[in-house]
């Protein structure tokens, strides 16, 4: 479920969104809920309400604008990764069992062999983009990658 702010100029929209998230959690505890954050000082309220993903759109968009001016084409790459209209998309998938105990470079090579781009590893709540090649992969790690279709593991 996606919960968008009713008014991005009004910080109290975060409180309304927290109530919506709490209600969604009561109706369906397993539902993944993403919510738009208006005031960064309210992030904890949305965490407490049970939001799975909290996006502070203003700094995200501002950072993307800065990056697009500094590095030509960055906005196009980001757009392609988050849009499902064409090209590759961004995915988070479990690592194949055969890679547990091996290095990140082994995953990256395997991804390339399958026509995917290895972007990083998720370890619990921590995301590691472009980690050191000799990072040892452990049970529970998941992979971030770019691919035209979700990778089959």
């Amino acid at each position: 479920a996606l919960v968008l702010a009713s008014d991005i100029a009004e910080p109290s929209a975060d409180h309304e969104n927290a109530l919506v998230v709490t209600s969604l959690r009561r109706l369906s505890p397993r539902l993944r809920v993403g919510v738009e954050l208006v005031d960064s000082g309210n992030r904890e309220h949305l965490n407490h309400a049970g939001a799975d993903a909290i996006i502070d759109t203003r700094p995200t968009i501002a950072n993307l604008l800065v990056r697009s001016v500094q590095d030509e084409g960055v906005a196009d790459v980001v757009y392609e990764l988050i849009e499902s209209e064409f090209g590759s998309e961004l995915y988070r998938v479990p690592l194949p069992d055969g890679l547990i105990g091996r290095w990140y470079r082994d995953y990256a090579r395997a991804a390339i062999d399958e026509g995917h781009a290895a972007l990083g590893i998720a370890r619990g709540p921590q995301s590691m983009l472009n980690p050191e090649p000799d990072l040892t992969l452990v049970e529970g790690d998941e992979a971030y990658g770019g691919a035209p279709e979700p990778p089959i593991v």
Side-chain angles (χ1 to χ4, degrees), residues 6-68:
S6 59
D7 182 355
I8 61 169
E10 183 54 53
S12 67
D14 291 334
H15 302 290
E16 295 168 7
N17 284 354
L19 291 173
V20 171
V21 171
T22 300
S23 297
L24 288 169
R25 280 281 166 249
R26 285 188 184 143
L27 292 171
S28 182
R30 294 185 184 168
L31 181 68
R32 288 205 37 89
V33 180
V35 63
E36 180 178 26
L37 177 67
V38 173
D39 179 351
S40 59
N42 291 327
R43 180 177 295 276
E44 187 57 37
H45 299 297
L46 296 172
N47 274 326
H48 185 70
D52 296 298
I54 302 168
I55 304 295
D56 193 345
T57 53
R58 283 189 266 188
T60 302
I61 291 169
N63 285 329
L64 180 57
L65 283 168
V66 169
R67 279 315 237 179
S68 353

Side-chain angles (χ1 to χ4, degrees), residues 5 13 16 39 41 53 58 78 82 87 95 103 107 118-119 121 123 138 150:
E16 295 168 7
D39 179 351
R58 283 189 266 188
V78 170
I82 61 175
L95 285 170
W103 289 331
Y107 158 68
L119 300 175
I121 297 295
R123 183 168 287 166
V138 299

Side-chain angles (χ1 to χ4, degrees), residues 6 21 36 42 46 66 80-81 88 93 106 117 120 122 126 141:
S6 59
V21 171
E36 180 178 26
N42 291 327
L46 296 172
V66 169
E80 184 173 334
L81 286 172
S88 290
V93 295
D106 298 322
Q126 180 184 15
D141 280 354

